[in-house]
Amino acid sequence: MERLVKQLLSQCFGETVRQELVLARKMIQRILVSIPVMLGVVFLIFLMLNVVPGNPIEAMLGEHASQSVIDRMSRYYGLDQPVYVQFLIYVKNLLHGDLGVSYKLNRSVNDLIGSAFPYTLKLTLLSALLAWLIGIPAGIVSAIRKNSLIDRLFMGVSLMGVSMPVFWAALLFQYFFAYRMNLVPVSGATSLSSYFLPSIVLGWSSAGTIARLTRSNLLEVLEEDYIRTAFAKGRSQSGVILHHAFKNALLPVVTMMAIQVASMLSGAVITETVFAIPGIGRLAVDAITSRDMPLLQGTVLFTTVLMILGNLVADLLYTVIDPRIREI
């Protein structure tokens, strides 16, 4: 039946239009499937926060607050209602685009996320650009010069980036480049130079992953028969690698790049905390420490949407790199 539908679409609209329609249908299916995922995330976060004993209003006001004030604030935020009633009210507001009001800051969660996201976006773009500019060329060179000194050097540095804890790398970079050499600010997000260290720390780990993945995939592709055929026809090594091998080895790398960008946009929690960048990650940490349920739920839901969008972008890039995937 599906093959018949494809044939009819191809005859009526042409092959290119048919492929675009099939791709659009797959994207719509992915979006529809992601809706239950987001609802599940909201439910789990809501459930876990309510399982933890204690009143978030009491934690916010402190131990010296009177019980009457705590009860009045709890009624104001609807915390005196049963848990299932609170959840239904939250979902109802969520359908209208309202993520609630922060208990601690008494501000709209939408506004707080909107204020924090530009900082995370700037850090993400700089870190991702650094990771791609270093990771992909390093992986290609390591694959071409397999088992050489430069291969071991690149893979050793990339292994350090993947293995070293982010907070430890951040502290080391702060000590040497900011404190000892006084080249850049230690923390904050007041100027472009203040993003230099956090983007290196965050991009180093991503660059190491991309370099190792690019190297392994490229080495595997270089063993294929069509690569040997291209060499037998007299093509140069650079021509074979750039026009044949690298394009086919890029698919898993594109997946990793899209996931990394979505993860960075979701908030580089440790990096933003160490360098005092007021982004999404630091906002989530503040929400956890103060048990600010609306703010934490809003940041988690926002990051879930970003991860889903990252995977959708990866799927779209797949079809650009390898049009055969449109037929799957």
Side-chain angles (χ1 to χ4, degrees):
M1 183 64 184
E2 185 177 357
R3 182 178 298 178
L4 179 60
V5 172
K6 289 182 179 180
Q7 292 177 354
L8 291 175
L9 288 174
S10 180
Q11 293 175 359
C12 295
F13 300 103
E15 184 64 21
T16 303
V17 177
R18 183 193 68 80
Q19 291 180 357
E20 298 299 331
L21 291 174
V22 172
L23 178 61
R25 179 173 61 85
K26 291 181 179 179
M27 292 297 105
I28 293 174
Q29 290 176 348
R30 291 289 301 272
I31 294 174
L32 293 177
V33 170
S34 65
I35 295 176
V37 175
M38 289 187 289
L39 289 176
V41 169
V42 172
F43 175 75
L44 289 176
I45 292 296
F46 197 93
L47 180 64
M48 286 187 291
L49 288 176
N50 283 276
V51 167
V52 178
N55 190 328
I57 300 299
E58 185 176 353
M60 178 183 67
L61 296 178
E63 58 182 5
H64 299 293
S66 63
Q67 189 61 42
S68 60
V69 175
I70 294 174
D71 293 339
R72 186 167 65 250
M73 293 291 291
S74 298
R75 286 193 299 270
Y76 176 77
Y77 287 109
L79 297 179
D80 58 334
Q81 301 288 336
V83 176
Y84 70 91
V85 175
Q86 297 180 40
F87 179 72
L88 292 177
I89 293 174
Y90 180 75
V91 172
K92 178 183 176 182
N93 294 332
L94 190 63
L95 293 176
H96 291 86
D98 184 9
L99 295 175
V101 178
S102 169
Y103 294 158
K104 181 180 179 180
L105 303 175
N106 196 28
R107 288 181 56 191
S108 170
V109 175
N110 300 57
D111 295 339
L112 291 172
I113 293 177
S115 300
F117 184 65
Y119 295 98
T120 301
L121 179 62
K122 189 180 296 184
L123 176 61
T124 297
L125 293 178
L126 293 174
S127 302
L129 182 62
L130 179 68
W132 299 345
L133 292 178
I134 294 177
I136 293 177
I140 295 175
V141 173
S142 296
I144 297 174
R145 305 289 298 275
K146 180 182 176 182
N147 296 328
S148 65
L149 179 61
I150 192 170
D151 177 28
R152 293 187 175 91
L153 177 62
F154 283 169
M155 289 301 101
V157 174
S158 65
L159 183 61
M160 287 180 58
V162 173
S163 305
M164 184 178 293
V166 175
F167 74 90
W168 181 242
L171 293 175
L172 287 177
F173 276 63
Q174 280 182 325
Y175 177 75
F176 285 107
F177 294 101
Y179 176 71
R180 299 288 294 183
M181 300 181 182
N182 197 25
L183 297 176
V184 290
V186 177
S187 60
T190 56
S191 62
L192 186 61
S193 60
S194 60
Y195 285 91
F196 181 74
L197 286 184
S199 61
I200 291 179
V201 170
L202 193 58
W204 186 14
S205 176
S206 300
T209 303
I210 292 174
R212 297 177 70 83
L213 187 60
T214 302
R215 178 185 183 275
S216 61
N217 287 320
L218 191 56
L219 287 175
E220 183 178 351
V221 172
L222 288 175
E223 298 296 326
E224 297 291 337
D225 292 337
Y226 68 90
I227 298 296
R228 298 191 186 95
T229 303
F231 278 119
K233 291 181 177 180
R235 296 294 299 271
S236 63
Q237 185 182 44
S238 60
V240 171
I241 291 175
L242 294 178
H243 294 92
H244 298 282
F246 178 65
K247 186 176 182 179
N248 291 310
L250 194 60
L251 284 176
V253 180
V254 168
T255 305
M256 180 58 64
M257 291 164 63
I259 293 174
Q260 284 181 343
V261 170
S263 178
M264 292 177 187
L265 286 173
S266 301
V269 177
I270 298 176
T271 306
E272 291 182 354
T273 302
V274 173
F275 289 97
I277 297 176
I280 298 295
R282 191 178 177 190
L283 196 66
V285 171
D286 293 340
I288 293 172
T289 55
S290 60
R291 286 199 63 191
D292 196 339
M293 291 189 293
L295 183 57
L296 181 57
Q297 290 165 352
T299 54
V300 172
L301 183 61
F302 183 72
T303 56
T304 303
V305 172
L306 290 177
M307 290 298 295
I308 292 173
L309 291 177
N311 283 279
L312 288 175
V313 171
D315 290 341
L316 291 173
L317 291 176
Y318 275 179
T319 60
V320 175
I321 298 173
D322 191 354
R324 295 173 299 176
I325 297 179
R326 302 179 186 180
E327 301 295 331
I328 299 178

